[in-house]
Amino acid sequence: MVAISGVAMGVDPRSIGGGLLLAPLLFYFIYVEDRRGGTAEDEINQPHRTRLVRRYQTELLATELLALLGYELVVCLLVFQTATANVSDLLFAQVPLVVLGSYGWLKRYPTLDSIGVGFTWAFVAVFSVVAATHQQYSLEGVAVFFGWFLITAAGVESRNIQDITGDTRANKTTLAGYLGPRTASLLVRLLKAGGVVVFWVVSGTFVAGLVLCYLLALSVFRRLTRLHRRNASSETGQHSTHG
């Protein structure tokens, strides 16, 4: 996401340097922290993963804290060593953490869940480029942010579609559950298409093609994840039967 954002904003991805580390470090911290705070719907939708998280709580906590420390260190280096960022960027860098702090509240409402995740991912994709280069915040950056926002929000609802049954059993309402699988799937396609169109309008065919490749890669990994989930569930069922 960061490299594509750089290209879309007219920046050579190689010049982003340490900024490329910001997104993976922060996303890892957010992802693990969210998984460690397991919910009732997680136990239904992801029983195998939930058991693993409970088993390795301490190890996961240690790695997520290291990721957060790495994120803050990279931001400080960009501010005080490379001087591509300024002190105000230290405050901007904390915005995703503020969203994370309110995520438990956001997840109570069908649309705010997707909006919160979409905002955070899109913000980090643009912030990483600006903080690591001499690129300034601009309307082009806002457009890139909006493109990623649409795509990421769609990704959240795409996952929610797969979890409708479990979410319903856990009395959790998501936008996908409210709309139903067919309408939600249509919405996901429209949002992703809208995101690609934004990149095409702002940066041209090449960047839009990169975004499509990114979405294709996500689709492949999601299919592999679903296959792993089915295999894990099957093995769990066999152990329960023989046990």
Side-chain angles (χ1 to χ4, degrees):
M1 289 178 68
V2 176
I4 295 175
S5 298
V7 175
M9 296 167 66
V11 174
D12 185 344
R14 292 172 296 182
S15 68
I16 300 175
L20 293 171
L21 296 174
L22 292 176
L25 287 171
L26 182 64
F27 292 165
Y28 179 85
F29 167 75
I30 292 176
Y31 181 84
V32 174
E33 177 61 21
D34 184 55
R35 293 297 171 261
R36 287 182 60 252
T39 59
E41 58 267 21
D42 288 334
E43 295 184 7
I44 299 172
N45 295 323
Q46 300 278 0
H48 179 67
R49 186 186 69 193
T50 301
R51 285 192 295 272
L52 288 176
V53 169
R54 287 175 176 170
R55 181 183 303 174
Y56 298 107
Q57 275 280 340
T58 303
E59 293 84 352
L60 288 172
L61 175 61
T63 58
E64 76 168 71
L65 291 177
L66 286 174
L68 178 61
L69 177 62
Y71 172 77
E72 297 292 356
L73 285 176
V74 172
V75 172
C76 288
L77 286 174
L78 293 175
V79 172
F80 298 110
Q81 184 171 337
T82 65
T84 56
N86 53 51
V87 176
S88 63
D89 287 320
L90 284 174
L91 297 178
F92 279 121
Q94 312 312 314
V95 170
L97 301 179
V98 174
V99 177
L100 174 64
S102 60
Y103 190 57
W105 176 80
L106 293 174
K107 289 199 293 186
R108 300 177 187 175
Y109 303 94
T111 55
L112 294 185
D113 180 13
S114 302
I115 291 174
V117 175
F119 173 86
T120 302
W121 262 233
F123 175 85
V124 174
V126 175
F127 171 77
S128 298
V129 176
V130 175
T133 67
H134 293 287
Q135 183 78 12
Q136 300 296 315
Y137 292 105
S138 62
L139 290 177
E140 192 174 54
V142 172
V144 172
F145 167 89
F146 185 61
W148 284 128
F149 173 81
L150 293 176
I151 290 171
T152 309
V156 175
E157 291 308 323
S158 179
R159 290 190 296 273
N160 286 340
I161 291 172
Q162 305 301 316
D163 296 339
I164 286 178
T165 301
D167 289 343
T168 301
R169 289 172 57 189
N171 294 319
K172 177 185 177 182
T173 303
T174 62
L175 182 60
Y178 179 77
L179 295 175
R182 295 184 63 180
T183 304
S185 295
L186 176 60
L187 175 63
V188 167
R189 294 189 183 96
L190 289 175
L191 289 175
K192 289 183 178 179
V196 173
V197 169
V198 169
F199 280 100
W200 175 66
V201 171
V202 173
S203 305
T205 306
F206 176 70
V207 174
L210 290 178
V211 175
L212 285 173
C213 290
Y214 169 81
L215 291 174
L216 178 61
L218 285 183
S219 177
V220 170
F221 283 112
R222 182 162 295 175
R223 288 180 182 275
L224 292 175
T225 301
R226 290 173 184 168
L227 179 62
H228 175 73
R229 284 174 59 180
R230 286 196 293 268
N231 291 338
S233 298
S234 177
E235 291 177 4
T236 301
Q238 291 177 2
H239 288 315
S240 299
T241 301
H242 294 299

